[in-house]
Amino acid sequence: MDDRDSEPARVVTAADHGATRVLTLNRPEARNAIDIPMRERLADEVRRAADDPGVRAVVLTGAAGTFSAGGDVRSMEGAGPDAVRARLDPVHETVRLIATCGTPFIAAVEGAAAGLGVSLAAVCDHVVAAEDARFVAAFGKVGLVADGGLLWTLPQRVGMGRAKQMLVFGQTVHAPRACEIGLADSLVPSGTALDAALERAAEAAALAPLSVAAAKRLLSRTDLSLELLLEAEREEQTALFGSADFAEGRTAFAERRPPRFEGR
């Protein structure tokens, strides 16, 4: 038994489906609003998954037909500057890990993804949206600015103009439109987002882990000029040429069979 199974309150659950780990935001009574215990637990679970070589992909979803209502506003009352910084620390760790670790992350969104929920979805490598899903980042309605890296991820996904409509004007984006503009990557019938995300995760898990990790590292380096990116690319590719997975990929290609990658 995993030691996490013995905890009485599991605000983020973890379950393995083959090489895919499903992390579920699990406060259905609060529409999976993200309070401090959930922030800390999510950071722990994302770190565990990223550090586990047996986990080739991660699906992030929410319990009971809702992705997340965002940050738990009730838990914010009376928070001073130090408390505000402390509550952001585990969120920032989670976002950094999802964006830069070698493991592909897929968000499975049913119902509402609001506020910090949008941030967690947008930083994932693939977003599956059910037809009933809606994305809203109206931080201005509670007097705050977008957090969880959304000011970095959202313009990359949808462009600056569309990001402003959501972040400055509080526009709600429904699933079909989210797919049109790149906020979501797949549109599926309501109730099937998790199954579709698991299928997408299995596709990612079948690829060479070192190759996927290199791609994620390079894609996260938006600070690099073309010349610096080409130098980083050279180093990554040189390392991959010496990997056992590349040797297996070449052999499998020659033998016309599926490769069996081991991440080494």
Side-chain angles (χ1 to χ4, degrees):
M1 176 183 293
D2 192 306
D3 60 2
R4 290 168 288 178
D5 292 333
S6 64
E7 296 177 10
R10 300 174 67 207
V11 291
V12 178
T13 65
D16 289 340
H17 297 251
T20 298
R21 181 161 297 168
V22 177
L23 302 181
T24 303
L25 306 176
N26 189 39
R27 291 185 69 211
E29 74 285 355
R31 298 175 66 236
N32 303 321
I34 304 167
D35 60 3
I36 292 174
M38 182 182 278
R39 290 163 184 249
E40 294 173 347
R41 178 63 181 271
L42 181 59
D44 288 343
E45 291 293 353
V46 168
R47 192 185 315 110
R48 285 179 192 248
D51 290 343
D52 189 338
V55 176
R56 297 285 184 88
V58 176
V59 171
L60 179 63
T61 192
T66 297
F67 188 73
S68 174
D72 189 338
V73 177
R74 293 181 181 180
S75 71
M76 301 176 189
E77 185 175 355
D82 290 342
V84 172
R85 294 186 181 95
R87 69 184 290 120
L88 284 173
D89 285 345
V91 171
H92 288 175
E93 180 181 5
T94 296
V95 168
R96 286 190 191 99
L97 282 169
I98 294 175
T100 64
C101 79
T103 309
F105 275 72
I106 298 96
V109 181
E110 301 269 1
L116 183 54
V118 180
S119 305
L120 291 175
V123 74
C124 289
D125 303 298
H126 188 92
V127 178
V128 177
E131 290 173 336
D132 71 335
R134 60 193 182 279
F135 302 81
V136 56
F139 289 85
K141 289 186 176 180
V142 294
L144 296 175
V145 69
D147 55 15
L150 193 60
L151 291 157
W152 186 76
T153 56
L154 190 60
Q156 291 183 54
R157 277 191 163 272
V158 305
M160 184 61 74
R162 293 188 180 107
K164 286 182 178 181
Q165 302 314 303
M166 294 185 68
L167 298 175
V168 177
F169 294 97
Q171 179 187 60
T172 296
V173 178
H174 294 275
R177 180 60 175 164
C179 283
E180 289 177 5
I181 65 177
L183 178 53
D185 303 294
S186 300
L187 182 66
V188 298
S190 297
T192 69
L194 178 56
D195 288 340
L198 285 169
E199 290 179 7
R200 191 64 171 168
E203 294 173 8
L207 300 175
L210 298 179
S211 174
V212 171
K216 285 197 64 175
R217 280 193 297 270
L218 292 172
L219 285 168
S220 71
R221 295 299 307 273
T222 57
D223 58 311
L224 296 181
S225 66
L226 175 59
E227 285 303 316
L228 290 175
L229 181 63
L230 290 174
E231 286 301 316
E233 170 195 294
R234 187 202 309 272
E235 294 306 310
E236 294 282 5
Q237 197 75 305
T238 300
L240 290 171
F241 259 75
S243 70
D245 277 354
F246 179 50
E248 164 63 9
R250 295 196 315 272
T251 301
F253 180 81
E255 296 176 354
R256 298 185 179 182
R257 62 169 174 79
R260 296 182 292 271
F261 295 121
E262 299 181 1
R264 57 185 182 85

